[in-house]
Amino acid sequence: MEPTPDVVRHFHPVLPSRQLRRQPVRVELAGHAYALFRDGSGQAAALSDACPHRFAPLSKGTVTKEGQLQCPYHGWRFDARGQGFNPSQPELRHCEAKSFQVVERHGYLWLAHASTPVSAMPELAGGDYVFGGTFSTLFQAPLHVALDNFSEDEHTPFVHTRLGWSGAQAGAVEFEAHNHEDHTEVHYRAPQRPAPIMRLLMVGKGDVFHNDWVTRFDPVRSVYTVRWTTPSGAPRPFTTQAHIFFVPETARTTRLHVFSFLRTAVPALRPLLPVAAKAALGLTWWEVRDDARFIPTVADTPYSHKGMRLDKYDKPLVHQRKLMERIYYAHEAHEAPEPRPALPRVHDATGT
């Protein structure tokens, strides 16, 4: 299934704010292109990246001193609302370009239909979490492949090299997954393998890795909360949280926009949070980079799970496909088989 225009009714992060300056910038979302620019007051705006005259890309044009986006082909000019003006035929009416809403928040530009309420903007971490930064990574794979990859940690020992457990420790993993009406919830608990960067987060030898996440579909996004405990169960000082947005650019590519946060329950360590938050951001970047390097290998995985021998770690995958179709794409889900455990049958941490 290819992405549809309906997804623009959700707010998506599409571009870091700092990347939109004097010149327009083209972004893609669900197979459609948008021209982002700043108007005369410096506010970000977005138009469909096709001049209504002859469909020339407006993103190849310029922004006038009045803050209008000028087509590079015949000089038609458009304001932030898409109201157009033809300098060669000033009396011409009906030369509007389709406009979209842009909200600037968390250091990013968020795109949606003009009618989408700002209250629909996804909430990011708050409270005592310190913001560590953002990054964006292009995945050479469709949305469903990228999402499936981030919906299980079974591949951790084989694709990643820092967070989580090694291949020899795969049998020590505890796992739970819960499917809900509008989201999925996953919990992993496993030995943390040695990795030098973990020392920056005060993770020691023999510590236990905890990865808990929730995936939602308005838009498609997951919040991963990672923490560690000592072998005796005492909490380590830092908890990281990564908000990952899966933005389909085309039917074959997905861009991940990541927002990283860190917190500590130890008051004496709070002055170190800005530095430690950067370390957490770097750790998250490495992990996502590992996935981005591997994902072309499985980019041709079909949309349907039919015929796949799914195991317990794949429990969220089939349900998430249904949620993605119903909530994100706004149409009825296709029939899909429930996961079948591989033989011999294994049990999760709850014994079910």
Side-chain angles (χ1 to χ4, degrees):
M1 183 178 67
E2 295 188 1
T4 73
D6 291 332
V7 303
V8 189
R9 74 186 185 281
H10 305 293
F11 272 104
H12 291 78
V14 293
L15 188 74
S17 297
R18 66 181 181 276
Q19 293 184 17
L20 185 63
R21 298 178 181 175
R22 294 179 59 87
Q23 297 300 316
V25 175
R26 173 188 171 100
V27 299
E28 291 184 282
L29 174 58
H32 292 258
Y34 304 85
L36 272 58
F37 68 103
R38 293 194 181 275
D39 64 16
S41 65
Q43 296 295 311
L47 304 177
S48 178
D49 195 19
C51 179
H53 178 205
R54 298 257 292 277
F55 295 169
L58 293 173
S59 60
K60 296 296 185 181
T62 57
V63 180
T64 68
K65 62 180 181 180
E66 296 82 14
Q68 296 174 316
L69 182 54
Q70 181 171 286
C71 177
Y73 201 2
H74 301 98
W76 289 28
R77 300 193 294 268
F78 306 90
D79 65 17
R81 295 178 300 169
Q83 296 299 311
F85 173 75
N86 177 2
S88 302
Q89 189 180 346
E91 71 278 10
L92 180 66
R93 297 182 179 182
H94 308 300
C95 54
E96 300 86 4
K98 185 171 178 58
S99 65
F100 297 84
Q101 180 179 188
V102 180
V103 173
E104 197 160 355
R105 190 175 295 179
H106 310 300
Y108 253 78
L109 300 176
W110 301 70
L111 177 72
H113 280 309
S115 59
T116 300
V118 176
S119 60
M121 278 280 296
E123 294 292 332
L124 299 189
D128 55 354
Y129 275 97
V130 169
F131 182 51
T134 67
F135 64 89
S136 173
T137 302
L138 182 65
F139 274 46
Q140 298 290 345
L143 172 61
H144 71 274
V145 176
L147 179 63
D148 282 358
N149 175 80
F150 278 81
S151 298
E152 48 82 11
D153 271 0
E154 188 179 4
H155 69 274
T156 291
F158 313 103
V159 175
H160 299 282
T161 57
R162 296 165 188 87
L163 283 181
W165 57 99
S166 66
Q169 299 167 317
V173 176
E174 297 178 21
F175 168 81
E176 292 181 43
H178 306 281
N179 293 337
H180 300 279
E181 178 66 19
D182 62 352
H183 68 281
T184 59
E185 179 184 349
V186 177
H187 306 275
Y188 278 87
R189 183 179 184 275
Q192 170 62 56
R193 60 183 153 195
I197 193 174
M198 307 309 300
R199 298 172 190 167
L200 296 176
L201 297 176
M202 299 187 178
V203 176
K205 183 178 180 180
D207 280 357
V208 179
F209 165 81
H210 302 257
N211 191 9
D212 307 297
W213 74 78
V214 173
T215 301
R216 299 187 183 276
F217 299 86
D218 58 343
V220 182
R221 67 193 194 277
S222 296
V223 179
Y224 300 85
T225 302
V226 176
R227 60 188 177 88
W228 295 267
T229 56
T230 66
S232 63
R236 286 297 186 184
F238 294 109
T239 299
T240 76
Q241 194 171 89
H243 296 241
I244 301 182
F245 289 78
F246 302 85
V247 179
E249 291 193 340
T250 70
R252 296 287 301 172
T253 60
T254 307
R255 186 168 293 277
L256 273 62
H257 298 283
V258 182
F259 300 78
S260 179
F261 299 84
L262 186 72
R263 69 177 174 88
T264 182
V266 181
L269 293 177
R270 285 174 188 159
L272 299 177
L273 275 175
V275 174
K278 294 299 181 184
L281 174 67
L283 178 61
T284 303
W285 179 86
W286 269 320
E287 298 298 304
V288 173
R289 183 203 61 176
D290 289 343
D291 286 309
R293 287 180 169 179
F294 177 78
I295 208 72
T297 307
V298 292
D300 292 327
T301 301
Y303 181 81
S304 173
H305 293 116
K306 185 176 181 180
M308 297 183 187
R309 192 67 172 179
L310 303 180
D311 63 16
K312 69 174 184 178
Y313 298 106
D314 299 315
K315 179 180 178 180
L317 271 60
V318 173
H319 186 64
Q320 286 184 168
R321 195 73 88 248
K322 295 176 181 178
L323 295 182
M324 185 161 65
E325 294 192 11
R326 177 170 58 84
I327 300 173
Y328 189 56
Y329 292 115
H331 60 72
E332 293 300 319
H334 298 158
E335 290 297 322
E338 291 296 327
R340 293 184 300 170
L343 297 176
R345 185 172 180 178
V346 288
H347 300 273
D348 64 20
T350 62
T352 59

